[in-house]
Amino acid sequence: MELAFSGELWWWKGPAPWHFVTVPDDECAALSTASAAVSYGWGMVPVTARIGATSWRTSLFPRDGRYLVPVKTRVRAAEGLAVGDRVAVHLTVDV
């Protein structure tokens, strides 16, 4: 399954700070259906993500009925991203 969407980059300062893009509702519904076949522990969904020319393997975090794309430091640096930027995200669910 492949998905493409755009969203705002935001920062969660929790005990281990992370940067995320929230997957929109329509794409979350599709991911929820697929998650039964690919999810591992805590509903994590393995994906290959791409923003701009930078791709990486990660897992989507389930949260409040939606999914979050964690955006690594190296991705933010390579693409010149800052909190509040609107980014185009491409996901391929790893099966």
Side-chain angles (χ1 to χ4, degrees):
M1 169 191 304
E2 293 192 26
L3 301 170
F5 58 90
S6 63
E8 184 177 319
L9 183 68
W10 58 276
W11 181 64
W12 180 66
K13 68 176 186 168
W18 278 92
H19 289 78
F20 293 101
V21 175
T22 303
V23 177
D25 289 336
D26 289 344
E27 287 79 2
C28 284
L31 286 165
S32 182
T33 300
S35 71
V38 298
S39 182
Y40 65 92
W42 306 289
M44 306 289 277
V45 176
V47 298
T48 299
R50 182 171 52 85
I51 294 175
T54 307
S55 60
W56 72 102
R57 293 193 64 185
T58 190
S59 293
L60 304 180
F61 292 25
R63 177 148 183 167
D64 300 327
R66 299 180 87 184
Y67 290 95
L68 308 177
V69 181
V71 182
K72 296 179 177 189
T73 301
R74 73 170 183 83
V75 175
R76 295 190 320 273
E79 296 298 325
L81 301 176
V83 169
D85 287 349
R86 188 148 192 91
V87 296
V89 180
H90 299 268
L91 298 178
T92 302
V93 175
D94 297 337
V95 290

